[in-house]
């Protein structure tokens, strides 16, 4: 039968309007989860079709490192894993070479060096085929991408700074966080959370240049799948040095963001923007191509400027809520990322985060098939754990009385983590409920957390 009609992308539609009378074919060759190593192989195949232009969106999914061997070997390895002798060989290889499921664990320097090498190779190969290549700098959710590591409450200066920040005592918060940041630097530890809370305080004060700096610096430890802090400048430098076409998409997103800081109103998570913003991306691509390729007979009509719609599709909001649910169920280290995702979705769908019960009814029961894709299920998020996350959300939003009530309710469940008492002690102190604050601190001390509890007590008394 006839070939089914493929829905045109917003980019193809924009190109057709800008190049009237021409037949445009825009093929999406992107794959979810691919890193630059795999992208080099995709590009080699794409260039065999002699395209007029290649648009490269790269930089994410580099956290584990590029596979050192071709993909066909990795696929064969998956089949061979069922054989005991091969499994023994693989374990020896992992110990000797650092292989993990076909990839290599790398430190930040090697990860960034591998990315630069792969990007340069792609630009040079496209140049050898005389095909223009446009490389986009990926935009990031700067504000609502908290560090994927635990909040360092055992650091006295950080604890003092964070609690002062929650109280609105900005000068004290800034001094303490700066001391903590400097100490971390001296010990060669990445001060992600220090940067994050400094950024929030600077933004509240209207010092947006400083806020943007600290938000970017807080991304030094890459979120799983997100590009590293060095990635944007690597793309700029390598693309310019290899005479590629550079699209600074990150700066275009900053242009349209509130305070120039992209946040959860634009993104569904750390890296994926709302579908509504595809129009902004298409507009930026066309503008760059017109400037870089002036000999092409572009339309002289001025396109209608892109504007964001007033609402975000419910499906995208549910996607954000599912990401939060997956983190709550499987990733304790991403506790505050889950809280931020709840906050993002709650801005668009307040009824979904009104209570833990509402979250279950709207998200967990919405679409069983999609929830399985996200690794979600009612049994995986206990009532106590879910209540704890909602308490953290209230603390994050500055509703300290509600946070105290939610922490207290969460701790009635046996499966609620003991660390919920940290938040309860803080929330109680912030509403001047000394009895409950001391009660939680005492429980922490009696459970073997004397050091952390003593630091928290001093920070609350500061």
């Amino acid at each position: 039968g006839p070939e089914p009609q493929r829905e045109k992308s917003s980019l193809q539609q924009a190109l057709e309007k800008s190049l009237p009378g021409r037949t445009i074919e825009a093929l999406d060759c992107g794959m979810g989860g691919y890193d630059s190593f795999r992208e080099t192989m995709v590009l080699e195949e794409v260039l065999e079709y002699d395209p007029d232009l290649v648009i490269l969106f790269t930089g994410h999914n580099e956290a584990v490192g590029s596979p050192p061997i071709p993909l066909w070997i990795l696929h064969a390895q998956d089949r061979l894993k069922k054989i005991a002798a091969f499994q023994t060989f693989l374990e020896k290889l992992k110990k000797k070479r650092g292989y993990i499921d076909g990839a290599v664990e790398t430190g930040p320097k090697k990860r960034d060096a591998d990315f630069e090498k792969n990007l340069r190779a792609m630009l040079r190969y496209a140049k050898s085929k005389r095909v223009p290549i446009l490389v986009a700098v990926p935009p990031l959710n700067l504000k609502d991408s908290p560090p994927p590591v635990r909040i360092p409450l055992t650091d006295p200066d950080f604890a003092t700074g964070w609690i002062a920040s929650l109280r609105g005592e900005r000068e004290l918060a800034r001094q303490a966080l700066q001391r903590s940041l400097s100490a971390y630097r001296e010990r060669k530890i990445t001060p992600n959370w220090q940067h994050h809370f400094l950024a929030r305080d600077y933004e509240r004060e209207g010092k947006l240049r400083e806020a943007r700096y600290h938000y970017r610096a807080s991304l030094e430890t890459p979120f799983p799948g997100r590009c590293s802090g060095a990635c944007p400048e690597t793309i700029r430098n390598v693309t310019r040095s290899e005479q590629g076409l550079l699209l600074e998409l990150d700066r275009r997103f900053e242009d349209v963001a509130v305070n120039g800081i992209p946040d959860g109103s634009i993104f569904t998570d750390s890296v994926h923007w709302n579908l509504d913003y595809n129009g902004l991306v298409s507009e930026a691509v066309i503008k760059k191509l017109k400037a870089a390729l002036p000999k092409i007979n572009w339309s002289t009509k001025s396109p209608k400027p892109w504007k964001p719609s007033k609402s975000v599709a419910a499906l995208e909001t549910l996607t954000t809520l599912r990401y939060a649910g997956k983190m709550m169920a499987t990733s304790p280290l991403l506790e505050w990322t889950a809280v931020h995702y709840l906050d993002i979705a709650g801005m668009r769908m307040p009824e979904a985060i009104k209570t833990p019960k509402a979250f279950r009814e709207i998200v967990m029961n919405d679409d069983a098939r999609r929830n399985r894709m996200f690794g979600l299920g009612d049994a995986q998020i206990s009532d106590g754990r879910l209540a704890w996350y909602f308490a953290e959300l209230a603390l994050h939003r500055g509703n300290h009385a509600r946070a105290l009530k939610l922490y207290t309710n969460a701790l009635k469940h046996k499966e609620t983590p003991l660390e919920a008492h940290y938040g309860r002690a803080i929330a109680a102190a912030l509403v001047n409920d000394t009895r409950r604050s001391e009660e939680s601190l005492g429980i922490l001390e009696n459970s073997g957390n004397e050091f952390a509890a003593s630091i928290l007590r001093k920070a609350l008394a500061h």
Side-chain angles (χ1 to χ4, degrees):
E3 186 175 324
Q5 291 294 311
R6 183 172 53 86
E7 186 177 346
K8 293 180 180 179
S9 66
S10 61
L11 177 59
Q12 180 164 342
Q13 294 176 47
L15 285 167
E16 288 175 346
K17 290 178 182 178
S18 300
L19 294 167
R22 293 199 181 193
T23 301
I24 305 295
E25 186 179 21
L27 299 179
D28 181 4
C29 300
M31 291 293 291
Y34 270 29
D35 64 358
S36 59
F37 176 81
R38 291 171 175 85
E39 288 162 355
T40 59
M41 292 185 284
V42 174
L43 180 66
E44 288 178 8
E45 182 177 347
V46 166
L47 291 176
E48 294 301 315
Y49 293 93
D50 193 26
D52 297 299
L53 172 74
V54 170
I55 300 175
L56 177 62
F57 188 89
T58 188
H60 296 312
N61 305 306
E62 302 285 324
V64 178
S66 300
I69 49 181
L71 288 181
W72 67 268
I73 294 181
L74 300 183
H75 294 317
Q77 174 183 303
D78 286 337
R79 291 192 292 270
L80 287 168
K81 280 182 179 179
K82 298 176 183 178
I83 302 173
F86 179 78
Q87 194 67 34
T88 302
F89 162 75
L90 190 62
E91 291 302 321
K92 291 180 179 179
L93 188 63
K94 286 180 182 180
K95 291 178 181 178
K96 183 177 180 181
R97 300 289 297 277
Y99 286 14
I100 302 249
D101 291 332
V104 174
E105 282 193 333
T106 63
K109 288 185 178 179
K110 188 174 190 313
R111 175 202 62 212
D112 294 340
D114 285 347
F115 173 67
E116 180 176 347
K117 177 190 70 176
N118 293 334
L119 176 59
R120 198 175 295 278
M122 287 188 277
L123 283 158
R124 289 180 177 177
Y125 191 61
K127 187 192 297 185
S128 73
K129 295 288 186 177
R130 299 188 178 182
V131 175
I133 182 167
L134 176 67
V135 186
V137 181
L140 295 170
N141 181 348
L142 292 181
K143 183 174 181 177
D144 292 311
S145 295
V149 292
R150 289 220 184 262
I151 288 181
L153 280 176
T154 54
D155 177 70
D157 282 325
F158 176 84
T160 299
W162 182 41
I163 291 167
S165 176
L166 291 171
R167 283 176 168 151
E169 300 170 348
R170 289 179 187 148
E171 192 58 38
L172 173 60
R174 199 169 299 159
Q175 291 173 1
L177 289 169
Q178 286 285 6
R179 288 196 303 271
S180 178
L181 189 153
S182 299
Y184 267 51
R185 288 289 188 208
E186 287 178 11
R187 290 151 53 195
K188 300 189 185 310
I189 302 173
T190 307
N192 305 93
W193 278 109
Q194 291 85 341
H195 282 301
H196 182 78
F197 283 109
L198 281 166
R200 289 182 62 178
D201 274 358
Y202 277 122
E203 186 181 9
R204 290 191 192 105
E205 200 170 330
K207 295 184 177 181
L208 302 181
R209 181 180 174 184
E210 292 88 343
R212 282 190 288 270
Y213 165 78
H214 284 287
Y215 275 127
R216 289 194 188 98
S218 74
L219 305 181
E220 275 188 58
T221 297
F223 185 86
R226 185 183 65 203
C227 72
S228 71
C231 165
E233 290 311 308
T234 297
I235 292 176
R236 288 185 230 279
N237 295 335
V238 173
T239 303
R240 286 170 177 147
S241 67
E242 298 295 338
Q243 289 86 50
L245 304 177
L246 178 65
L247 176 61
E248 296 183 285
L249 199 56
D250 58 338
R251 290 178 179 167
R252 183 68 187 103
F253 271 68
E254 290 172 11
D255 289 340
V256 301
V258 175
N259 293 332
I261 301 170
D263 61 9
S265 66
I266 295 175
F267 290 83
T268 59
D269 54 28
S270 293
V271 298
H272 298 99
W273 56 79
N274 298 325
L275 294 179
D276 183 42
Y277 283 75
N278 283 348
L280 175 69
V281 175
S282 298
E283 180 184 88
V285 168
I286 298 297
K287 184 177 180 180
K288 180 65 182 182
L289 292 177
K290 283 183 176 181
L293 306 171
K295 293 182 180 180
I296 293 178
N297 188 25
W298 297 98
S299 171
T300 56
K301 292 183 179 180
S302 298
K304 187 178 180 180
W306 173 86
K307 289 183 179 180
S309 64
K310 293 181 179 179
S311 62
V312 178
L315 181 61
E316 294 185 84
T317 303
L318 284 168
T319 296
T320 304
L321 286 167
R322 287 190 184 98
Y323 278 129
K326 182 176 182 180
M327 291 171 199
M328 286 189 275
T330 63
S331 307
L333 286 178
L334 300 180
E335 166 197 340
W336 277 95
T337 305
V339 169
H340 275 250
Y341 283 14
L342 286 174
D343 192 27
I344 290 170
M347 296 175 196
R348 309 175 198 147
M349 192 185 286
E351 65 273 20
I353 63 164
K354 192 173 182 180
T355 63
K357 182 180 178 181
F359 175 86
R360 282 202 190 281
E361 290 176 351
I362 291 175
V363 181
M364 313 301 278
N365 301 330
D366 173 69
D367 185 329
R369 183 185 63 81
R370 286 188 62 83
N371 282 341
R372 283 198 300 273
M373 290 169 58
F374 279 78
L376 286 176
D378 280 290
Q380 291 181 289
I381 310 177
S382 67
D383 289 339
R385 193 168 191 84
L386 189 56
W388 172 46
Y389 275 98
F390 271 74
E392 304 275 61
L393 174 62
L395 187 66
H396 168 69
R397 287 186 158 190
N399 193 337
H400 304 142
R402 176 173 165 76
L404 175 58
K405 181 179 178 180
L406 288 169
Y407 279 121
T408 301
N409 289 339
L411 285 161
K412 292 177 183 177
H413 297 273
K414 292 180 180 179
E415 70 276 10
T416 301
L418 186 70
E419 58 198 281
H421 278 289
Y422 288 108
R424 184 173 182 263
I426 293 169
L430 292 173
V431 295
N432 299 316
D433 189 334
T434 306
R435 182 182 67 79
R436 284 191 173 92
S437 183
E438 283 297 322
E439 181 181 71
S440 281
L441 289 169
I443 291 171
L444 288 168
E445 287 172 336
N446 294 330
S447 61
N449 294 282
E450 298 94 335
F451 179 66
S454 67
I455 288 175
L456 187 54
R457 179 177 274 109
K458 289 177 183 176
L460 289 171
H462 217 284

